[in-house]
Amino acid sequence: MSDRTRSPLRVSIGEIVETVLVPAKHLAGGAVTAKIAYGKDASLMVATREPGYHSKPHLHDCEQLNYVLAGELYVFIDDTGFLVREGDVFRVPRNATHWSWVQGATPCVLLEVHAPALIGDPGITDTAVALIDESEGSDDIVKIGSQWPADVDQARIEARVMPERVG
């Protein structure tokens, strides 16, 4: 069937507008953009972290599963961290303080799933696509946002996890 029927439950990734996922004030370097779709209980995004991307510690009241589509990055969760590369899958538990850092010269692209939907930060629902049928309604969707605690010793944790890279 060559003709694709339009449905509120389907979208092509090419039809989703790319948005700035994290404002510069929450970054130590670089940039990250994403294409986001969401339903009643979860969101899915393709997020591209540019070389030099280095987020500040943050948390959100949703579980996060990630699949590395391209590139690599260091991921820090609470007081530990690890390097992930293309083909790896990793999880960020609900309300765990986390951040990441792209050290390489190429972007890192992640497929991310958040449950409930991580669509509560300013500007996200302006570009994210809701895959919701009109019979379902959207008034009861929980829209989780990020919190940015200031009391995390980010440099100490990074130096312990990647001593050869920090210094």
Side-chain angles (χ1 to χ4, degrees):
M1 179 172 155
S2 62
D3 183 38
R4 292 175 63 171
T5 305
R6 290 198 55 82
S7 169
L9 303 177
R10 184 208 61 83
V11 67
S12 166
I13 196 74
E15 297 174 90
I16 301 175
V17 176
E18 197 164 49
T19 188
V20 173
L21 187 59
V22 178
K25 70 180 181 179
H26 295 303
L27 299 175
V32 58
T33 57
K35 293 184 173 210
I36 305 167
Y38 65 95
K40 299 278 286 184
D41 299 310
S43 59
L44 179 136
M45 65 177 70
V46 176
T48 303
R49 288 161 174 77
E50 297 300 330
Y53 169 82
H54 189 189
S55 65
K56 294 179 181 175
H58 60 283
L59 60 102
H60 34 72
D61 192 21
C62 55
E63 181 175 49
Q64 178 176 342
L65 293 170
N66 303 271
Y67 173 63
V68 184
L69 295 169
E72 66 180 41
L73 79 159
Y74 278 91
V75 176
F76 304 90
I77 302 173
D78 291 328
D79 202 30
T80 189
F82 45 86
L83 178 66
V84 295
R85 293 187 169 111
E86 183 175 330
D88 288 344
V89 176
F90 66 96
R91 174 179 170 258
V92 178
R94 190 177 204 149
N95 290 313
T97 300
H98 61 285
W99 67 97
S100 59
W101 191 354
V102 176
Q103 293 272 311
T106 60
C108 181
V109 182
L110 296 178
L111 178 65
E112 300 184 22
V113 175
H114 298 89
L118 184 64
I119 55 172
D121 291 321
I124 298 298
T125 56
D126 296 341
T127 56
V129 174
L131 299 178
I132 299 169
D133 187 277
E134 64 185 39
S135 67
E136 294 177 283
S138 60
D139 294 339
D140 60 343
I141 295 175
V142 176
K143 298 179 179 180
I144 301 298
S146 299
Q147 300 170 46
W148 303 86
D151 61 346
V152 177
D153 192 348
Q154 184 174 6
R156 179 188 60 79
I157 296 167
E158 289 171 355
R160 193 181 77 251
V161 170
M162 43 189 247
E164 73 284 357
R165 301 280 191 149
V166 179

